[in-house]
Amino acid sequence: MCVGAMLGALGVGGGAAAAGGAAVAAGSGMNILQTIGLVTSLAGSIGQMQAQTAAIDAQSAAIEQQKATEATLNAIEDQRTRALMEGQLAEQSAELIARGVDLSSPTAVRLGISAAREMAFASQRVRSEGSARRIELTSQQQILAARRRTARIQGITTVADTVLTAAPQIWPELLG
């Protein structure tokens, strides 16, 4: 009885539903239930694949935002390092002048060159750290992209496996 009602709900016309209902109930009633189970399983697999993809996309977007934030912070840190070093250069120049040293003397020039080199090294260190962090975050995004592809392939494979495994039981006429 239940199978006949299901056939009616699926669009099988009046007399055919009544006649078909008895035949389905006698022999192939499980086909509809198996079909419903198959569709439910497929929907679950597809839903899981979409959820995994969405989660991975969200992680990738968060990393992209983190990269932008890190780049801004790195630029600020570089500016602060340069400003600090420039302040130290000015302080060094003031001390030399206070001691009566001519800033064009070889000693003062050497000290200035040495301080400028240190400033360049400090700035390069900050930029290198920023570059290393950017590379690390980009690698994380590439790993997530690979996981996204793997999740999709796994989802498609699971769906195909489910259909191919269930097909002979649901549609035995395919075997003939």
Side-chain angles (χ1 to χ4, degrees):
M1 292 299 194
C2 180
V3 175
M6 291 170 101
L7 286 175
L10 292 173
V12 176
V24 168
S28 61
M30 281 305 275
N31 286 351
I32 289 180
L33 294 177
Q34 287 174 329
T35 302
I36 292 170
L38 172 65
V39 170
T40 304
S41 176
L42 294 177
S45 294
I46 292 169
Q48 182 180 8
M49 177 182 63
Q50 289 173 336
Q52 284 177 334
T53 300
I56 290 169
D57 289 343
Q59 285 178 323
S60 185
I63 289 173
E64 190 62 37
Q65 178 63 40
Q66 185 178 359
K67 281 171 53 176
T69 301
E70 297 257 355
T72 301
L73 292 174
N74 187 258
I76 291 169
E77 181 63 25
D78 185 37
Q79 289 174 350
R80 290 178 72 190
T81 300
R82 286 179 170 276
L84 178 68
M85 296 298 281
E86 287 171 0
Q88 289 175 352
L89 274 171
E91 192 176 303
Q92 184 182 45
S93 295
E95 285 177 15
L96 290 173
I97 290 172
R99 291 182 185 162
V101 176
D102 180 14
L103 292 181
S104 62
S105 72
T107 301
V109 170
R110 256 191 311 247
L111 286 173
I113 290 172
S114 176
R117 243 188 238 131
E118 288 303 316
M119 181 175 73
F121 290 150
S123 177
Q124 183 59 42
R125 178 192 53 80
V126 170
R127 287 180 293 182
S128 293
E129 287 172 358
S131 178
R133 184 70 178 135
R134 200 169 29 258
I135 290 168
E136 178 184 345
L137 292 171
T138 299
S139 294
Q140 288 178 7
Q141 282 183 310
Q142 290 170 343
I143 290 168
L144 288 173
R147 285 185 185 158
R148 182 186 311 113
R149 285 188 300 273
T150 301
R152 286 185 179 172
I153 290 169
Q154 185 178 18
I156 291 167
T157 304
T158 300
V159 166
D161 179 57
T162 302
V163 169
L164 293 175
T165 301
Q169 285 105 18
I170 295 174
W171 304 287
E173 59 274 6
L174 294 175
L175 294 175

